């Protein structure tokens, strides 16, 4: 079983739609959680950290459920520029090693 | 502020050859991590360097090795290349003490024929 699992998609949604991505992690010792965005043939870039209390950044909302070992990302009012692969990432306590899921591909169409 | 840079951008090698990839960390960062990203997969951690020493290693064989220099730049060396080594190699820099935020370079795309 992979340490971080994501639905690879693709998710094809129209502009303005709301879309949600889910991610599960297997190791309960996981400490920190992130969503990265990766455009085609580019490097991953940090989209947002994920906190137990949940956090919001504009149209993006991230949630963490430690009991279920589950992370989510909600994108509201999708834009064409949101088309990318979204990578779920966890780290363990006292380590800088990022553990990535395979990514979920989002395609927003006009 | 200078971002993370990597060279070369693309590389083609044949099986059995050796390759060296280079990374310059972002200004102010002292830690460099290397990741391998195969097509359709997420990046996989290879190893990390801090103060010129390896500081953690993923599930990669010893033919993957690295260095970090006093200016915090880094090299990734791969010996005896195999077809499965074809991937995007990403370097990420960070500052020790910053809570895991790593900034990635544009990557080197390696093709092994």
């Amino acid at each position: 079983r992979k340490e971080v699992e994501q639905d690879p998609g693709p998710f094809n949604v129209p502009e303005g739609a709301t879309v949600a991505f889910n991610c599960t992690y297997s190791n309960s010792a996981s400490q920190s959680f992130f969503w990265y965005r990766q455009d085609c043939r580019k490097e991953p870039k940090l989209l947002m950290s994920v906190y137990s209390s949940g956090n919001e950044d504009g149209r993006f909302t991230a949630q963490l459920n430690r009991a279920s070992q589950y992370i989510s990302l909600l994108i509201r009012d999708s834009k064409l520029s949101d088309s990318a692969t979204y990578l779920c990432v966890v780290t363990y306590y006292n380590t800088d090693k990022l553990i990535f899921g395979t990514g979920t591909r989002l395609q927003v169409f006009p | 502020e200078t971002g993370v840079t990597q060279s070369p951008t693309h590389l083609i090698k044949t099986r059995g050859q050796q390759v060296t990839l280079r990374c310059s960390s972002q200004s102010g960062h002292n830690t460099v991590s290397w990741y391998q990203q195969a097509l359709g997969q997420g990046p996989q951690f290879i190893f990390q360097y801090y103060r010129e020493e390896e500081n953690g290693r993923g599930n990669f064989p010893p033919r993957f090795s690295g260095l970090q220099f006093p200016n915090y730049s880094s090299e990734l060396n791969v010996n005896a290349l195999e077809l499965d080594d074809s991937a995007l190699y990403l370097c990420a820099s960070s500052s020790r003490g910053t809570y895991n935020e790593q900034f990635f370079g544009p990557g080197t795309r390696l093709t092994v024929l």
Side-chain angles (χ1 to χ4, degrees), chain A residues 2 31-32 34 36 38 41-46 87 91-103, chain B residues 10 31 33 35 37 40-45 48 55 58 88 90 94 96 99-102 104-106 109:
Chain A
K2 290 185 178 179
Q31 180 73 10
S32 303
F34 308 92
Y36 275 71
Q38 186 172 28
R41 304 183 78 81
K42 299 282 190 180
E43 72 273 22
K45 292 184 178 177
L46 179 64
L87 295 156
T91 67
Y92 301 136
Y93 179 72
N94 208 28
T95 175
D96 290 340
K97 168 185 172 182
L98 299 181
I99 303 166
F100 286 83
T102 54
Chain B
H10 297 85
T31 302
S33 303
Y35 294 81
Q37 186 173 24
Q41 301 296 315
Q44 299 294 307
F45 176 76
Q48 182 183 84
N55 180 52
L88 179 68
L90 294 158
S94 57
R96 201 78 172 170
Y99 203 49
N100 296 128
E101 184 162 3
Q102 299 185 20
F104 284 84
R109 190 163 297 278

Side-chain angles (χ1 to χ4, degrees), chain A residues 57-76:
Chain A
D57 183 1
R59 299 181 293 108
F60 299 83
T61 301
Q63 296 278 352
L64 167 64
N65 184 322
R66 284 188 184 271
S68 301
Q69 295 181 197
Y70 169 96
I71 306 158
S72 66
L73 177 68
L74 184 77
I75 304 175
R76 291 180 298 279

Side-chain angles (χ1 to χ4, degrees), chain B residues 32-34 45-49 54 56-58 64-66 76:
Chain B
V32 172
S33 303
W34 287 92
F45 176 76
I46 303 174
F47 43 53
Q48 182 183 84
Y49 278 85
E54 188 178 288
R57 187 179 183 93
F64 285 77
S65 63
L76 164 65

Side-chain angles (χ1 to χ4, degrees), chain B residues 24-88:
Chain B
S24 291
S25 59
Q26 185 168 309
S27 177
H29 287 177
N30 54 20
T31 302
V32 172
S33 303
W34 287 92
Y35 294 81
Q36 179 196 67
Q37 186 173 24
L39 198 62
Q41 301 296 315
Q44 299 294 307
F45 176 76
I46 303 174
F47 43 53
Q48 182 183 84
Y49 278 85
Y50 170 64
R51 290 189 175 178
E52 302 177 54
E53 290 193 3
E54 188 178 288
N55 180 52
R57 187 179 183 93
N59 189 25
F60 281 81
R63 60 189 185 84
F64 285 77
S65 63
L67 284 172
Q68 186 179 34
F69 300 100
N71 66 354
Y72 306 124
S73 66
S74 178
E75 285 183 355
L76 164 65
N77 299 292
V78 188
N79 293 323
L81 283 167
E82 300 176 1
L83 296 179
D84 285 349
D85 295 334
S86 296
L88 179 68

